[in-house]
């Protein structure tokens, strides 16, 4: 019972981390599209140039925009802070998944050691896949944390390149 409580607790913490990551992503999107941050000249530039050339997937004819304007648009914004926070959330999530993998391995081992029935071998074969899957997920989450940390570092470096 204690092991199952650990698994359930780990699963709840993983869900909380996932919810925090979703909230962080939503905050980043909201900050990028907040009404008080709308650049009126940029909006009118999009409207004025929309019919004069090929439009990108964003609905903007990038070829008609001045390089200075492009640079200003690309380097302005909320900065790397939200990305650093998001990278930390991903790293925390990976750590929590590592804990969940360890608990799940112990649980599966304990269960398989005690299970005596005709289907025990088949069930053990299926159950032993779960920690492997969780471990692979933890590796992917760590990779995501590294990618977001790299993006944060790039966002921090970008203004210095101007």
């Amino acid at each position: 019972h204690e092991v199952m409580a650990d698994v359930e607790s780990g699963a709840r913490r993983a869900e909380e981390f996932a919810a925090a990551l979703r909230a962080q992503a939503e905050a980043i999107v909201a900050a990028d599209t907040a009404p008080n941050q709308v650049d009126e000249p940029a909006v009118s530039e999009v409207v004025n140039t929309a019919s004069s050339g090929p439009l990108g997937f964003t609905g903007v004819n990038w070829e008609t925009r001045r390089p200075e304007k492009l640079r200003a648009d690309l380097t302005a914004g909320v900065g790397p802070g939200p990305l650093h926070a998001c990278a930390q959330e991903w790293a925390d999530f990976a750590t929590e998944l590592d804990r969940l993998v360890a608990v799940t391995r112990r649980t599966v081992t304990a269960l398989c050691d005690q299970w005596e029935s005709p289907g025990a071998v088949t069930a053990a074969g299926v159950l032993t896949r779960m920690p492997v899957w969780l471990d692979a997920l933890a590796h992917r989450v760590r990779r995501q944390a590294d990618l977001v940390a790299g993006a944060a570092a790039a966002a921090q470096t970008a203004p210095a390149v101007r």
Side-chain angles (χ1 to χ4, degrees):
H1 294 289
E2 184 178 318
V3 175
M4 287 307 291
D6 285 346
V7 170
E8 289 173 0
S9 174
R12 276 193 305 277
R13 287 192 303 257
E15 288 173 4
E16 290 168 4
F17 278 116
L21 289 172
R22 279 191 298 276
Q24 188 71 34
E26 290 169 2
I28 291 170
V29 169
D32 286 343
T33 58
N36 61 352
Q37 294 182 356
V38 173
D39 182 19
E40 293 303 326
V43 172
S44 63
E45 184 176 336
V46 170
V47 173
N48 293 337
T49 61
S51 61
S52 63
L55 297 179
F57 69 91
T58 58
V60 177
N61 181 353
W62 297 105
E63 294 172 1
T64 61
R65 296 189 104 183
R66 298 179 318 281
E68 299 82 19
K69 177 67 176 154
L70 285 173
R71 182 181 50 83
D73 289 346
L74 292 172
T75 57
V78 295
L83 284 173
H84 284 297
C86 186
Q88 185 58 53
E89 290 291 331
W90 278 110
D92 291 347
F93 186 36
T95 300
E96 198 59 38
L97 280 171
D98 287 336
R99 286 188 199 125
L100 186 60
V101 167
V103 169
T104 305
R105 278 196 177 116
R106 283 195 311 267
T107 304
V108 168
T109 301
L111 219 123
C112 291
D113 288 347
Q114 299 298 318
W115 200 343
E116 296 177 13
S117 75
V121 173
T122 304
V126 172
L127 285 173
T128 56
R129 291 186 222 151
M130 188 172 182
V132 173
W133 175 81
L134 286 170
D135 193 42
L137 179 61
H139 286 292
R140 286 193 298 271
V141 168
R142 266 191 295 289
R143 172 104 170 94
Q144 183 66 25
D146 292 342
L147 288 171
V148 176
Q156 194 166 356
T157 305
V161 177
R162 292 191 230 179

